[in-house]
Amino acid sequence: MSTNGNGSHKASDLNSEINVTPMVDIMLVMLIIFMVVTPLIQSGVTVALPKGVNPDEDGNITKDTAVVVSIPFAGSYHVGRDPVTKDNMVKTIETRMKGLRENDPKVVYIRGGVGVPYGEIVDIINFIRDAGYDQIGLVADKLKPGEQ
């Protein structure tokens, strides 16, 4: 460092700028992490749900313990995220129901896609009822104002 005649430093030698590069690096890493994790947070399988004017909202369906049967299209069945066949669907539902706690609701939710034939939904309801579960919820999205 250079000094002037009396031993003090010149003002031009001091760097008073803030280095924001480490902060930007951390923010970009966090952005990437959130972009990767966000789709994983969604529970179940993506289904194009029918929309209704007044579906009742049940907060229990979003819980991790909820037993949800998804039918995105005819012939495709999922319990939670796991693909199942009609034959082993009841066994999978029974296994999930046994894992519930005492105070958890014993409801099986059905998320049927818009293009799934009505008869297919009725068949699944019959399978679930034959297994001894009478509390069944049919899932629909709520129509937003201005939508049809």
Side-chain angles (χ1 to χ4, degrees):
M1 280 190 199
S2 63
T3 58
N4 57 14
N6 60 8
S8 64
H9 298 286
K10 287 191 234 175
S12 62
D13 288 341
L14 299 176
N15 185 3
S16 62
E17 295 177 14
I18 297 174
N19 188 1
V20 295
T21 305
M23 182 183 70
V24 171
D25 288 343
I26 291 171
M27 291 299 161
L28 288 174
V29 168
M30 288 177 62
L31 176 67
I32 291 169
I33 289 171
F34 289 136
M35 288 173 57
V36 170
V37 170
T38 301
L40 301 177
I41 293 174
Q42 178 185 4
S43 63
V45 178
T46 303
V47 177
L49 294 173
K51 295 183 185 257
V53 176
N54 57 354
D56 292 334
E57 293 183 23
D58 187 352
N60 292 322
I61 193 169
T62 58
K63 293 183 179 177
D64 292 337
T65 58
V67 179
V68 181
V69 176
S70 300
I71 312 166
F73 52 89
S76 175
Y77 310 103
H78 299 266
V79 176
R81 288 184 164 264
D82 305 327
V84 295
T85 62
K86 275 188 179 180
D87 300 330
N88 66 357
M89 180 184 306
V90 171
K91 184 178 178 187
T92 306
I93 291 171
E94 287 173 348
T95 304
R96 299 247 175 147
M97 286 293 196
K98 287 178 185 172
L100 295 178
R101 293 179 296 214
E102 277 294 316
N103 56 351
D104 287 337
K106 308 289 191 265
V107 180
V108 178
Y109 298 97
I110 299 175
R111 299 175 71 221
V114 175
V116 176
Y118 179 68
E120 190 114 12
I121 303 289
V122 172
D123 287 345
I124 299 305
I125 291 172
N126 289 334
F127 279 139
I128 294 168
R129 283 196 173 150
D130 289 344
Y133 303 106
D134 289 332
Q135 292 186 350
I136 298 173
L138 298 175
V139 181
D141 272 342
K142 190 167 192 152
L143 256 169
K144 294 178 182 135
E147 276 187 331
Q148 289 185 0

